[in-house]
Amino acid sequence: DYRVDGDRLLAVAARVRGSGAGMEIPDDAVWGAGAWEYRPKLAPLKELTLTRSTFTSDYQLCWEGHCRSLTDLLGPASDGTIVNIFACPVAKP
């Protein structure tokens, strides 16, 4: 999970549903709701690159309490389709 922090994206939560190669459970992870949850130790990002696939769950974008899948927003996934996500600060009136 990411949230907008100025002009950056800040990782605030991640979940691992099963361990395996490259999916080790961090020491500070807490079990709940069928997954290990933890806060990633990542610097804020200017850009997040997502690769879409028909073989994995779709990404969700949430704002103001509403979530939509990338399929709803962009159409069906094609394997290997790249989507770049940027923070867009909103000017306050």
Side-chain angles (χ1 to χ4, degrees):
D1 296 346
Y2 292 84
R3 73 172 165 81
V4 174
D5 186 18
D7 66 345
R8 304 288 173 153
L9 297 168
L10 182 62
V12 295
R15 284 164 294 286
V16 176
R17 296 198 193 291
S19 62
M23 299 299 294
E24 290 77 18
I25 308 299
D27 292 335
D28 60 342
V30 177
W31 179 257
W36 291 97
E37 186 166 342
Y38 63 98
R39 184 174 185 147
K41 295 172 179 75
L42 299 174
L45 302 172
K46 188 78 172 169
E47 173 182 355
L48 178 64
T49 301
L50 307 175
T51 303
R52 298 179 71 199
S53 173
T54 57
F55 296 101
T56 61
S57 298
D58 202 5
Y59 293 100
Q60 298 280 319
L61 292 180
C62 303
W63 64 96
E64 297 179 354
H66 302 284
C67 296
R68 305 246 337 250
S69 70
L70 285 185
T71 297
D72 288 346
L73 297 167
L74 303 175
S78 296
D79 289 332
T81 300
I82 302 294
V83 176
N84 294 309
I85 306 293
F86 301 87
C88 297
V90 177
K92 295 183 180 180

